């Protein structure tokens, strides 16, 4: 322009030449050039272009600056270079396409559809943009905001723009021009440029709105971008809720469908099943009970970004209520056999509004067509679109009875009256548009099944039989002779009708009735347990008994699947006594006949009486057992053993026909239908069979605990005729151990059995036999014919049999009493039964002086002894060990009377023959002795020992001794077994020790020296003998010892100690030296040689004088006298004085 207010631009980065000249060349750089090109009306031609040099822009060579002025261009060359795209980037996350150009573009010329994105590796990926917004910045840069549809299309195209390598660009020359209208350089699709950079889509899709049309069953989900419906959509992740906050019903869609198209919208067509399930659960009936939720797994976008989950249920953006009227879609099928009709409706119905009586079956759609309107039936109480109705039996029967109706598919249409049914939204049912199609069953199952008997009723008083069927039957086709009655489902008793009936009702109804013939009734009653009550009244029949109205014959009911009667009226007529055919007293059996079949099991024994002709002698039966009679008019009754016994023992009753009458009282028995005998009546026996058989042993029981033997016979025996010796117990049938009884006590009287209490002797003898009667396997009995007789004097039959019931001995043995004999040293114990002496433990027995050991001053537990059995091993003699006997005799209280002699034993003391430990006698409650034999046996010397070296003499006696009674001078020593005693001990000998039966004496020095002086006495064991005289000592019971014979020494120890000088004395008057020794010495053996005796000064050992003995003038035991020393001694005055002084000391 020609003024400064016109568009202009001041160069920023251009450069000029450096030559001094009147011309300056300016080089406009790209930055300035692009800005100039971007300014409208600037530099578009010479006419519109001016240049202005600012002050001091340039100066001449002398420094003069230029003037400031606008100068017109003298020449202008316009831009003829086409622009180019240098590079581009694509941001799929934000939908941005950024393009860099080589120069400024004229924005008004941009044509976006001339730009295409493509994958150069995929020929089908080319996509021209359709729309969008763009802007330029810094003149060379263009940003295109891809339209929503273009962006989604690109995302949907799985071959395009998923990576840098799959993103290229192509443009035509119409895409844009520069300011001088130079069209952009073409980029061909065959040689596109690849994106300089590529940002993939990382944004998760979001649900923007959702719509539900309940009328047509559509759910539309709209997202903010395209989603991969084909590859990632998960239908079952959609949950529908009845409440957003606290849902009680949640339904997961199962098999609804959506078109396989990737888009930003998912259109779901609800399946019939899903729609019905929603309706059944009354879900999504209105917008107030229809909320949706899903997880991130519902669907992903095209770059596999999961949708943002809708975890909190939300209501639909748009909800269209169901206003469609339900109608019949199709009458699917009707089965005339089962009465089941199935209808399919256009939608789920509210079954609670279903009105079966609004349905009419018609043979056509004209008013005159045969029709049946339903009156009832069964329908499942579930809201559904497919309804199954089971017609009532009456309605189905009525349809079958109605001519023509439903005999063909086209003759079996439906009509619906008002108020038939509603859907769950309350929409009233509307009749189909084309009932000739929808109201005719697609399938009609004609009646091809035979009729079934539903039940039957029977009146046994009138004989009326009623048969009820499941459909109408044709009565004239009845064959009553095909009917069989039986007493249970599988038939153990039965009767088939003869075919003679009367009173037949024959119409095409569901039932038929008629009367049984009299002959059939009586025959039935003769069969016990048949047609007497509802529990034994069942019916079966053969094929062809009767046909239905379609002429289809009923099939048989086999005898193993009979039908039980529904209503039963029993026979009420009481039976009558006819005769008394027989009474057999041999077998205990009688037969009684009535006028009709009798139930023998209803007999009441106490109402049957046997009496004589005058009724003066009678017996009321106690226990009759039914034998036969449930199937005829005669009953057999077995008499109990007690009944037979009483009849046999009552004199004048039942021994001849003339005194054997049976009398029945009211209620004695009932017929097979339960009617009681109602009068009192009697009949004489026709055939009486008396008892003529020998009794026989049936079985026997043995109780080894109580010692009883029970023998049971088949007839009444007289126990007074018993001979016990004819009973033998044995261990087996062959190669047995046996024992015959010797006695016993038997129960008295006449009976089928008798019990023998075994004698104590027999019981113990049996127990002694280890292989007999210890268990059931080794217990047999053999009885001879002489054992017993019956009450008629007939002997029993011999028999050998095994025990029936065996009771092992379980009672522990016990001590009955005991005695003590202190003379023999024996304790004799009597037990309650035989004991096993080998099991005796002597150390488990104690004696005590009181019944309570804690109060006993003396007690003794035995340590040893030898037991010996006495009298069948129930008495044991224990020989006490001498040590125990000596200890016992040494006590002062324990044995001297029964009042202070008690016995206790532990349970280990002894066992019986079956190994039971004895019943213990506690030390706190000991058993008193029954007898004591006081010791009156005099003690005897049994041996003696002599230690001649120490002078100790030991005497041993055969029992306890009272040491204080010892008389020492009654003990004498001898040197031979037959010689007289040579020396009797004196009081010089003392008692030094004692035991219960020994004394130890220390022979005094005087006695010992005296013994030693006697030649050949106690010098060796062969010269050492001893004798004690009468009463040398007493035992503890004051019995004096007997005088013994002369005993040889038992243990002898010779004198091995040398004598020693004990003292000496000098008698100067008598000129004698006295030497005293420790024991007796022999004077004739004194050594008289020199130096044999030395006199010593104890204060001066050097002052020693050896003395040669003079004459030994004599000896007295241990003292030797020597004289003839005077002359020798006189020379040693000092020594003598010293010796004298020493002796004085």
């Amino acid at each position: 322009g020609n003024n400064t207010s016109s568009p202009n631009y001041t160069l920023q980065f251009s450069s000029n030449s450096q030559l001094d000249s009147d011309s300056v060349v300016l080089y406009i750089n790209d930055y300035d050039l692009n800005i100039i090109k971007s300014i409208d009306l600037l530099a578009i031609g010479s006419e519109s272009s001016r240049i202005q040099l600012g002050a001091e822009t340039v100066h001449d060579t002398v420094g003069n600056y230029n003037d400031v002025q606008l100068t017109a261009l003298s020449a202008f060359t316009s831009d003829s270079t086409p622009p180019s795209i240098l590079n581009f980037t694509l941001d799929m996350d934000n939908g941005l396409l950024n393009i860099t150009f080589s120069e400024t573009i004229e924005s008004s010329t941009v044509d976006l559809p001339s730009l295409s994105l493509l994958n150069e590796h995929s020929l089908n990926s080319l996509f021209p943009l359709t729309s969008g917004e763009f802007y330029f910045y810094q003149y060379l840069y263009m940003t295109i905001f891809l339209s929503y549809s273009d962006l989604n299309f690109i995302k949907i195209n799985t071959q395009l723009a998923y990576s840098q390598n799959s993103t290229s660009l192509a443009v035509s020359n119409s895409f844009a021009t520069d300011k001088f209208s130079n069209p952009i350089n073409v980029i061909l699709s065959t040689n596109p440029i690849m994106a300089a950079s590529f940002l993939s889509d990382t944004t998760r899709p979001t649900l923007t709105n959702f719509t539900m049309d309940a009328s047509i069953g559509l759910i539309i989900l709209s997202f903010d971008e395209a989603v991969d419906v084909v590859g990632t959509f998960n239908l079952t992740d959609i949950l529908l809720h009845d409440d957003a906050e606290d849902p009680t019903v949640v339904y997961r869609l199962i098999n609804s469908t959506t078109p396989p198209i990737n888009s930003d919208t998912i259109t779901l067509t609800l399946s019939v099943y899903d729609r019905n399930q929603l309706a059944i659960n009354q879900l999504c009936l209105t917008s107030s009970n229809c909320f949706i939720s899903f997880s991130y797994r519902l669907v992903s976008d095209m770059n596999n970004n999961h949708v943002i989950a809708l975890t909190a249920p939300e209501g639909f953006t748009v909800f269209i209520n169901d206003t469609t009227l339900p109608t019949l879609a199709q009458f699917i099928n009707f089965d005339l056999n089962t009465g089941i009709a199935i209808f399919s409706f256009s939608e789920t119905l509210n079954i609670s509004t279903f009105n079966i009586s609004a349905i009419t079956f018609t043979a056509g759609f004209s008013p005159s067509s045969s029709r049946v309107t339903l009156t009832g039936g069964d329908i499942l109480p579930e809201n559904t679109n497919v309804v199954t109705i089971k017609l009532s039996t009456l309605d189905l029967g009525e349809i079958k009875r109605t001519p023509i109706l439903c005999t063909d598919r086209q003759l079996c249409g439906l009509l619906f009256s008002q108020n038939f049914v509603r859907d769950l939204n309350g929409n009233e049912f509307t009749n189909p548009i084309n009932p000739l199609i929808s109201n005719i069953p697609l399938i009609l199952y004609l009646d091809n099944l035979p009729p079934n008997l539903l039940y039957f009723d029977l009146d046994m008083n009138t004989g009326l039989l009623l048969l009820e069927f499941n459909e109408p039957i044709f009565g004239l086709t009845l064959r009553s002779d095909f009917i069989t009655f039986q007493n249970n489902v599988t038939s153990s008793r039965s009767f088939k009708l003869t075919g003679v009936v009367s009173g037949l009702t024959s119409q095409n109804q569901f039932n038929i009735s008629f009367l049984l013939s009299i002959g059939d009734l009586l025959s039935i009653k003769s069969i016990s347990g048949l047609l007497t009550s509802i529990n034994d009244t069942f019916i079966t029949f053969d094929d062809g008994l009767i046909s239905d109205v379609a002429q289809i014959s009923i099939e048989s009911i086999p005898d193993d699947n009979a039908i039980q009667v529904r209503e039963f009226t029993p026979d009420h007529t009481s039976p009558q006594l006819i005769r008394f055919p027989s009474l057999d007293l041999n077998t205990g059996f009688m037969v009684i006949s009535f006028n009709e079949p009798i139930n023998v099991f209803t007999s009441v024994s106490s109402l049957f009486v046997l009496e004589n002709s005058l009724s003066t002698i009678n017996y009321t039966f106690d226990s009759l057992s039914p034998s036969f009679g449930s199937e005829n008019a005669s009953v057999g009754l077995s008499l109990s053993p007690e009944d037979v016994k009483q009849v046999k023992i009552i004199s004048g009753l039942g021994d001849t026909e003339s005194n054997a009458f049976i009398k029945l009282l009211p209620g004695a028995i009932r017929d097979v239908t339960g009617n009681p005998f109602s009068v009192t009546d009697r009949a004489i026996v026709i055939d009486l069979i008396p008892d003529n058989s020998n009794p026989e042993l049936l079985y026997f029981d043995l109780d080894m605990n109580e010692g009883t033997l029970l023998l049971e016979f088949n007839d009444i025996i007289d126990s007074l005729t018993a001979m016990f010796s004819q009973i033998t117990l044995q261990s087996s049938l062959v190669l047995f151990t046996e024992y015959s009884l010797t006695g016993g006590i038997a129960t008295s009287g006449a009976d089928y059995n008798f019990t023998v209490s075994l004698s104590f002797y027999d019981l113990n003898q049996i127990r002694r036999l280890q292989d007999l009667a210890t268990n059931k396997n080794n217990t047999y009995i053999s009885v001879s014919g002489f054992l017993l007789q019956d009450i008629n004097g007939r002997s029993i039959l011999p028999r050998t049999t095994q025990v029936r019931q065996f009771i092992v001995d379980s009672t522990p043995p016990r001590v009955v009493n005991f005695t003590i004999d202190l003379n023999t040293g024996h304790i004799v114990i009597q037990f309650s039964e035989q004991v096993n002496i080998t099991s005796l433990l002597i150390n488990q027995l104690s004696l005590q002086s009181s019944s309570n050991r804690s109060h006993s001053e003396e007690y003794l537990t035995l340590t040893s002894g030898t037991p010996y059995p006495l009298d069948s091993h129930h008495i044991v003699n224990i020989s006490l060990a001498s040590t125990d006997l000596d200890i016992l005799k040494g006590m002062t209280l324990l044995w001297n009377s029964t009042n202070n002699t008690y016995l206790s034993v532990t349970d280990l003391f002894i066992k019986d023959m079956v190994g039971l430990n004895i019943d213990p006698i506690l030390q706190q409650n000991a058993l008193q002795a029954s007898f004591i034999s006081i010791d009156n046996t005099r003690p005897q010397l049994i041996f003696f020992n002599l230690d001649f070296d120490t002078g100790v003499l030991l005497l041993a006696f055969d029992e306890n001794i009272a040491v204080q009674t010892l008389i020492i001078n009654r003990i004498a020593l001898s040197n031979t077994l037959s010689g007289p005693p040579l020396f009797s001990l004196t009081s010089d000998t003392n008692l030094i020790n004692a035991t219960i039966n020994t004394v130890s004496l220390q022979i005094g020095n005087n006695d010992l020296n005296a013994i030693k002086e006697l030649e050949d006495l106690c010098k060796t064991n062969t010269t050492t003998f001893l004798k004690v005289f009468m009463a040398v000592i007493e035992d503890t019971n004051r019995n004096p010892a007997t005088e013994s014979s002369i005993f040889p020494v038992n243990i002898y120890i010779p004198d091995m100690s040398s004598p020693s000088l004990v003292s000496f004395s000098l008698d100067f008057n008598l000129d004698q030296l006295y030497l005293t020794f420790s024991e007796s010495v022999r004077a004739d053996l004194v050594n008289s040689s020199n130096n044999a005796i030395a006199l010593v000064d104890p204060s001066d050992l050097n002052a020693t004088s050896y003395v040669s003995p003079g004459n030994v003038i004599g000896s007295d035991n241990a003292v030797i006298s020597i004289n003839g020393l005077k002359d020798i001694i006189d020379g040693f005055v000092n020594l003598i004085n010293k010796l004298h002084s020493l002796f004085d000391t």
Side-chain angles (χ1 to χ4, degrees):
N2 294 320
N3 56 65
T4 57
S5 63
S6 298
N8 60 80
Y9 176 72
T10 302
L11 297 180
Q12 302 292 323
F13 301 103
S14 299
S15 62
N16 60 286
S17 65
Q18 300 298 315
L19 299 176
D20 292 336
S21 174
D22 59 353
S23 296
V24 177
V25 179
L26 295 179
Y27 297 96
I28 302 174
N29 71 355
D30 288 342
Y31 178 80
D32 286 341
L33 187 60
N34 282 321
I35 293 178
I36 292 169
K37 289 181 177 180
S38 67
I39 299 174
D40 291 339
L41 304 178
L42 182 62
I44 61 174
S46 59
E47 295 300 327
S48 63
S49 299
R50 302 286 186 271
I51 189 169
Q52 175 181 307
L53 298 180
E56 299 181 358
T57 300
V58 68
H59 60 80
D60 59 17
T61 57
V62 295
N64 298 309
Y65 286 95
N66 64 283
D67 294 331
V68 177
Q69 60 181 358
L70 288 173
T71 305
L73 296 179
S74 59
F76 181 85
T77 303
S78 63
D79 180 12
S80 62
T81 302
S84 298
I85 294 177
L86 300 180
N87 59 65
F88 79 97
T89 64
L90 182 58
D91 182 352
M92 290 297 292
D93 207 15
N94 296 300
L96 299 178
L97 178 62
N98 297 307
I99 303 175
T100 303
F101 296 92
S102 61
E103 62 175 298
T104 301
I105 296 297
E106 179 61 44
S107 62
S108 62
T109 66
V110 173
D111 180 34
L112 289 181
S114 297
L115 183 149
S116 298
L117 292 176
L118 70 154
N119 181 349
E120 62 179 315
H121 306 292
S122 175
L123 298 178
N124 297 323
S125 63
L126 183 68
F127 174 70
L129 299 184
T130 62
S131 61
E133 296 181 358
F134 59 89
Y135 74 92
F136 286 89
Y137 62 97
Q138 295 184 0
Y139 318 112
L140 302 177
Y141 306 105
M142 178 185 184
T143 297
I144 301 175
F145 293 92
L146 300 177
S147 68
Y148 180 80
S149 60
D150 283 354
L151 183 60
N152 278 334
F153 188 87
I154 293 170
K155 289 180 178 180
I156 291 171
N157 190 338
T158 58
Q159 302 298 316
L160 178 62
Y162 57 84
S163 66
Q164 185 176 1
N165 292 333
S166 64
T167 306
S168 297
L169 181 144
V171 294
S172 67
N173 58 7
S174 61
F175 172 57
T177 65
D178 61 11
K179 189 172 183 178
F180 295 94
S181 298
N182 296 308
I184 195 165
N185 284 325
V186 174
I187 301 175
L188 299 176
S189 61
T190 57
N191 189 26
I193 63 172
M194 185 183 297
S197 68
F198 178 84
L199 293 177
S200 62
D201 180 14
T202 60
T203 302
R204 298 171 63 182
T206 302
L207 182 69
T208 57
N209 59 69
F210 34 97
T211 299
M212 181 169 186
D213 188 338
S215 284
I216 59 177
L218 283 183
I219 294 178
I220 302 173
L221 305 178
S222 298
F223 299 90
D224 61 356
E225 63 172 304
V227 291
D228 185 2
V229 177
V230 175
T232 65
F233 180 62
N234 180 14
L235 171 68
T236 59
D237 204 60
I238 297 177
L239 298 177
L240 296 176
H241 308 255
D242 66 343
D243 189 81
E245 300 295 333
D246 187 20
T248 58
V249 179
V250 178
Y251 179 72
R252 186 184 303 275
L253 296 182
I254 294 177
N255 55 6
S256 296
T257 59
T258 183
I261 300 173
N262 295 331
S263 173
D264 61 347
T265 300
I266 299 176
T267 301
L268 287 173
T269 301
L270 296 179
S271 66
V272 174
Y273 178 83
D274 282 341
R275 292 185 68 182
N276 285 329
Q277 289 301 310
L278 291 175
I280 289 170
N281 289 284
Q282 298 189 9
L283 184 61
C284 291
L285 299 179
T286 65
S287 60
S288 61
N289 78 334
C290 194
F291 299 85
I292 189 171
S293 71
F294 52 80
S295 75
Y296 70 90
R297 291 183 295 268
L298 173 66
V299 74
S300 299
D301 65 11
M302 301 308 299
N303 205 36
N304 205 30
N305 296 308
H306 291 299
V307 70
I308 295 176
L310 186 63
T311 55
E314 292 187 13
F316 282 86
T317 309
V318 177
F319 187 90
I320 301 173
N321 288 326
D322 177 18
T323 58
T324 304
L325 300 180
T327 188
L328 179 67
Q330 184 62 59
F331 182 10
I332 298 175
N333 65 56
F334 179 42
D335 190 336
L336 283 165
N337 295 294
T338 62
I340 292 178
I342 301 176
F343 310 98
S344 175
F345 293 89
S346 60
E347 61 177 296
T348 299
L349 302 178
N350 185 348
I351 295 299
S352 65
T353 66
F354 202 94
N355 180 13
I356 293 179
S357 61
I359 301 174
T360 298
F361 280 80
T362 178
F365 292 97
S366 65
S368 61
S369 300
S370 298
R371 295 179 179 179
V372 171
T373 298
L374 301 185
T375 61
D378 295 321
I379 182 171
L380 293 176
E382 295 180 359
N383 298 328
T384 180
N385 67 316
V386 178
V387 178
T388 299
I389 300 176
K390 182 174 178 56
L391 277 63
S392 69
T393 303
L394 291 177
D395 286 347
L396 182 62
E398 192 64 26
I399 290 173
K400 290 181 178 181
R401 293 178 61 226
T402 301
I404 303 176
L405 182 60
C406 290
T407 58
D408 183 82
R409 190 173 70 86
Q410 298 297 329
L411 299 174
C412 196
L414 294 177
L415 295 176
F416 302 99
S417 63
Q418 291 182 344
N419 299 321
F420 171 41
V421 72
R422 294 175 182 268
D423 66 11
L424 290 168
N425 282 299
N427 298 310
E428 180 70 45
F429 175 84
T430 182
N431 279 298
I433 296 175
N434 190 353
L436 291 177
I437 297 176
S438 59
N439 291 27
I440 300 298
L442 293 176
I443 301 174
L444 176 65
Y445 297 101
L446 295 175
D447 181 10
N448 59 6
L449 296 179
N452 293 326
L453 177 67
L454 298 179
Y455 58 83
F456 75 99
D457 299 335
L458 180 63
D459 186 340
M460 285 299 290
N461 272 318
T462 63
L464 180 65
L465 174 64
L466 171 70
L467 304 176
E468 183 77 21
F469 297 89
N470 67 327
E471 60 177 309
I473 48 87
F474 189 25
L476 295 178
T477 63
L478 175 68
R479 290 290 305 272
S480 62
D481 56 329
F482 286 9
I483 296 175
T484 299
F485 290 107
Q486 58 191 52
N487 68 328
N488 55 44
V489 174
T490 58
S491 177
S492 60
R493 296 180 177 89
S494 63
F495 178 79
K496 190 169 186 177
L497 298 183
T498 61
V500 179
V501 298
S502 61
L504 176 67
T505 60
S506 175
Q507 298 180 15
N508 296 347
Q509 298 293 338
F510 286 86
N511 58 57
I512 188 170
S513 62
F514 54 88
L515 295 172
L516 304 182
S517 68
I518 298 299
D520 284 349
L521 272 177
L522 292 178
S523 297
I524 291 170
K525 288 183 179 182
S526 69
I527 303 174
S528 177
L530 178 64
L531 308 192
T532 63
S533 70
I534 193 171
N535 295 323
D536 62 5
T537 302
F538 294 79
I539 195 172
T540 67
F541 47 80
D542 301 331
D543 286 337
L545 169 68
I546 202 167
S547 299
D548 62 12
V549 292
Q551 296 299 309
I552 300 174
S553 297
I554 193 169
E555 293 180 351
S556 66
I557 295 178
D559 58 7
D560 61 352
N561 193 29
I563 295 177
Q564 189 173 14
V565 70
R566 184 189 66 163
E567 293 185 4
F568 180 82
T569 303
D571 173 23
H572 299 307
T573 304
S574 297
Q576 298 177 5
L577 176 64
I578 299 299
R579 58 184 176 273
F580 184 15
S582 66
L583 173 62
D584 188 341
L585 292 177
N586 198 41
T587 61
F589 186 76
M590 63 181 176
V591 177
I592 304 173
S593 296
F594 297 86
N595 70 327
E596 63 173 306
I598 295 297
N599 183 357
V600 70
F601 298 102
T602 64
S603 60
V604 180
S605 301
S606 60
L607 300 179
F608 285 76
V609 179
L610 186 69
E611 60 185 18
N612 63 0
S613 58
L614 300 177
S615 299
T616 55
I617 303 174
N618 56 66
Y619 172 71
T620 300
F621 289 99
D622 177 64
S623 180
L624 300 174
S625 299
S627 181
F628 67 84
S630 294
E631 299 180 359
N632 51 57
S634 294
V635 298
L637 297 171
S638 294
L639 282 63
S640 70
E642 180 64 23
D643 288 336
V644 174
K645 180 180 78 172
Q646 293 300 326
V647 171
K648 287 183 177 182
I649 63 178
I650 296 175
S651 178
L653 178 65
D655 51 2
T656 64
E657 284 87 351
S658 61
N659 60 13
F661 285 78
I662 189 71
K663 180 171 70 175
L664 271 64
L665 302 178
I669 203 165
R670 295 176 182 269
D671 63 17
V672 292
T673 59
N675 299 310
F677 190 82
S678 58
V679 298
T680 300
D681 197 2
R682 76 173 195 164
I684 188 171
V685 69
I686 297 173
D687 183 15
L688 177 68
I689 303 174
D691 178 15
N692 56 12
S693 61
N694 293 84
E696 183 179 4
L697 176 67
L698 299 177
Y699 60 83
F700 79 101
D701 299 334
L702 179 60
D703 187 341
M704 288 300 291
N705 197 43
E706 298 294 334
T708 58
L709 176 65
L710 170 69
L711 291 89
E712 184 77 22
F713 295 87
N714 65 346
D715 203 348
I716 304 167
I717 48 89
D718 184 0
S719 62
L720 297 178
T721 64
M723 298 178 63
F724 298 121
S725 61
Q726 302 304 307
I727 299 176
T728 299
L729 294 175
Q730 57 191 53
S731 59
S732 65
L733 293 176
V734 294
L735 300 176
F736 46 79
T737 299
E738 63 179 6
Y739 180 80
S740 298
L741 301 186
T742 63
I745 300 175
T747 54
S748 61
D751 209 333
Y752 288 93
N753 58 61
F754 81 107
T755 300
V756 179
S757 295
L758 302 178
S759 68
F760 187 76
Y761 175 81
D762 284 344
L763 187 59
N764 280 328
Q765 290 300 315
I766 295 170
R767 286 171 173 167
R768 285 186 61 190
L769 302 173
Q770 294 295 295
D771 59 347
L772 176 64
T774 61
N775 57 62
K776 186 174 182 178
N777 293 329
N778 63 6
T779 305
Y780 293 79
I781 197 171
S782 177
V783 295
S784 75
F786 299 104
L787 171 62
L788 284 167
Q789 295 177 354
D790 65 10
I791 59 175
N792 294 317
R794 284 184 289 270
S795 298
I796 69 167
L797 297 174
R799 190 183 180 198
T800 301
T801 184
Q802 188 176 11
V803 69
R804 183 192 67 163
Q805 181 176 348
F806 180 84
I807 300 177
V808 70
D809 180 10
S810 60
T811 302
R814 57 184 177 82
V815 176
V816 176
N817 59 64
F818 75 100
T819 64
I820 297 180
D821 189 338
L822 290 174
N823 289 298
T824 61
H826 289 176
I827 297 179
V828 178
I829 302 175
Q830 181 177 348
F831 297 92
S832 59
E833 61 176 287
Q834 181 164 336
V835 291
N836 186 350
I837 196 168
T838 62
S839 67
L840 187 142
L841 299 176
I842 195 71
N843 59 359
Q844 302 299 308
L845 182 149
S846 297
L847 297 172
Q848 55 196 60
S849 61
S850 172
S851 61
N852 190 329
R853 180 163 173 169
S854 61
H855 301 154
S856 297
E857 297 182 19
E858 294 178 344
Y859 61 86
L860 172 65
T861 298
L862 301 186
T863 62
S864 182
T866 304
Y868 303 96
L870 298 175
D871 192 15
S872 300
H873 289 71
H874 77 284
I875 299 176
V876 175
N877 183 0
I878 300 175
S879 178
L880 300 179
S882 59
T883 53
D884 287 344
L885 183 60
D886 288 341
I887 294 173
L888 184 61
K889 287 183 176 180
M891 296 178 177
T892 59
L893 294 175
L894 180 58
W895 48 264
N896 57 24
S897 75
T898 57
N899 291 331
N900 55 14
T901 303
Y902 294 84
L903 176 142
S904 64
V905 295
T906 71
D907 62 344
L908 301 178
F909 173 52
I910 201 168
K911 301 177 185 292
D912 65 9
M913 299 307 294
V914 297
L916 295 174
N917 289 343
I918 193 168
D919 195 4
I921 300 176
L922 302 180
Q923 294 176 345
Q924 293 77 19
N925 190 26
L927 177 67
Q928 187 177 9
S930 59
F931 177 77
I932 292 179
S933 178
I934 302 300
D935 179 20
N936 56 15
T937 301
R938 301 166 67 179
Q940 296 180 11
L941 179 70
I942 54 178
F943 67 86
F944 79 96
N945 299 332
L946 176 61
D947 187 343
F948 207 45
D949 193 34
T950 61
V952 175
L953 174 65
L954 180 140
L955 303 179
F957 295 89
D958 61 353
E959 61 172 303
N960 284 13
I961 51 174
V963 67
Q964 69 274 12
T965 64
L966 179 65
I967 303 175
I968 293 176
N969 62 9
R970 294 189 180 182
I971 302 170
L973 295 169
S974 175
N975 62 352
T976 63
L977 187 62
S978 58
L982 298 180
F983 182 81
S984 296
L985 299 182
T986 69
S987 58
D988 184 49
T989 295
N990 297 306
L991 177 70
I992 60 173
N993 193 19
T995 64
I996 59 176
N997 66 338
T998 66
V999 292
S1000 295
L1001 305 176
Q1002 179 64 59
I1003 302 175
N1005 284 335
N1006 292 333
D1007 284 351
L1008 193 59
N1009 285 330
I1011 295 170
K1012 289 181 178 180
E1013 287 185 350
L1014 296 175
E1015 294 184 5
D1016 297 329
L1017 180 60
C1018 299
K1019 296 302 184 289
T1020 65
N1021 61 336
T1022 59
T1023 60
T1024 304
F1025 298 86
L1026 182 139
K1027 177 182 177 68
V1028 295
F1029 293 95
M1030 180 71 70
V1032 64
I1033 200 167
E1034 296 177 354
D1035 62 15
T1036 53
N1037 207 32
R1038 311 306 296 178
N1039 296 308
T1042 60
E1043 182 174 314
S1044 72
S1045 58
I1046 296 178
F1047 272 78
V1049 68
N1050 180 47
I1051 297 175
Y1052 174 80
I1053 300 174
D1055 180 9
M1056 295 181 292
S1057 299
S1058 301
S1060 59
L1061 182 65
V1062 176
S1063 63
F1064 74 96
S1065 62
L1066 285 174
D1067 188 339
F1068 288 108
N1069 293 314
L1070 297 177
D1071 188 20
Q1072 289 184 349
L1073 172 64
Y1074 299 97
L1075 302 177
T1076 301
F1077 294 90
S1078 60
E1079 60 176 305
S1080 296
V1081 295
R1082 293 178 58 182
D1084 59 329
L1085 297 179
V1086 172
N1087 186 357
S1088 59
S1089 63
N1090 291 331
N1091 300 327
I1093 300 174
L1095 299 178
V1096 181
D1097 182 349
S1099 65
D1100 186 0
L1101 295 179
N1102 293 323
T1104 298
S1105 176
Y1106 293 95
V1107 179
S1108 296
N1111 299 318
V1112 177
I1113 62 174
S1115 65
D1116 183 9
N1117 291 335
V1119 179
I1120 297 177
S1121 299
I1122 304 173
N1123 63 0
L1125 301 177
K1126 180 175 174 45
D1127 293 338
I1128 299 172
I1129 296 172
D1130 285 344
F1132 303 100
V1133 175
N1134 292 331
L1135 178 58
I1136 295 303
N1137 288 332
K1138 292 179 180 179
L1139 288 174
H1140 186 72
S1141 175
L1142 177 62
F1143 288 148
D1144 288 342
T1145 301

